[in-house]
Amino acid sequence: MRTAVVFYSLTGNTAMAAGHIAAALGADLIELKPVKSYPDKGFRKFFWGGKSAVMAEAPALEPIQFCAADYDSIVFGFPVWAGTIAPPVRSFIAVHRAELAGKQISSFACQSGAGAAKAFRKLEECLGMGPLRAELVLIDPADKPDPANEEKIRAFCEKC
């Protein structure tokens, strides 16, 4: 079964986790990059990212190589912004939603505070599907390393 890990990362936390998950699953790693980058520091980071998430914006993305027919399973990764998915993931789904029907979908989220559970429900809503196959929440894994994350990632990958 072929798997793709499709992710967006602003500060590197989600990218780090995506790399570990892709390696554990033997999956292809597909990074989403908006054409216009979000601020990554200070007040502007929270204001623009939060506004974009709350308004359910779908920013233009740089071109990627992705063909849903090549995969049986998709793992989405994103930072939690204002209790929802990061807008670049919303953009990807807007383009590929019909192609994702029937795929096994799992997701992991990186957050500093809370909101991942709500973000997973928003992801399901965006995809127009029922429960995710597996869910994983990590607290800023690159910024705040935790030895327990390895076990959490292993257990998540077993469910994917």
Side-chain angles (χ1 to χ4, degrees):
M1 179 162 70
R2 286 198 59 201
T3 301
V5 175
V6 177
F7 75 97
Y8 169 72
S9 185
L10 179 65
T11 62
N13 285 291
T14 306
M16 186 191 92
H20 287 291
I21 290 166
L25 294 173
D28 293 338
L29 198 56
I30 300 169
E31 183 174 6
L32 305 176
K33 296 180 182 178
V35 171
K36 183 178 178 186
S37 297
Y38 289 96
D40 62 355
K41 291 182 177 65
F43 174 76
R44 293 179 66 231
K45 168 185 165 184
F46 296 103
F47 177 78
W48 289 108
K51 179 194 83 61
S52 185
V54 168
M55 300 301 288
E57 293 176 0
L61 299 176
E62 291 182 10
I64 57 169
Q65 296 293 318
F66 177 81
C67 177
D70 293 342
Y71 301 101
D72 302 300
S73 178
I74 310 294
V75 176
F76 286 102
F78 55 85
V80 176
W81 288 1
T84 192
I85 59 177
V89 173
R90 187 178 300 280
S91 297
F92 177 87
I93 292 169
V95 171
H96 298 284
R97 182 177 175 185
E99 301 166 58
L100 297 172
K103 305 291 179 189
Q104 294 180 13
I105 308 288
S106 299
S107 185
F108 68 95
C110 296
Q111 63 183 16
S112 294
K118 183 178 170 187
F120 291 139
R121 304 299 74 83
K122 290 287 187 180
L123 177 63
E124 291 169 348
E125 183 182 305
C126 243
L127 289 163
M129 61 171 278
L132 297 168
R133 183 174 179 91
E135 299 174 3
L136 170 65
V137 179
L138 298 169
I139 307 299
D140 295 335
D143 296 340
K144 300 173 186 169
D146 181 347
N149 285 344
E150 285 184 40
E151 176 56 27
K152 289 178 184 178
I153 289 171
R154 187 197 59 72
F156 171 75
C157 290
E158 285 179 0
K159 295 177 187 176
C160 288

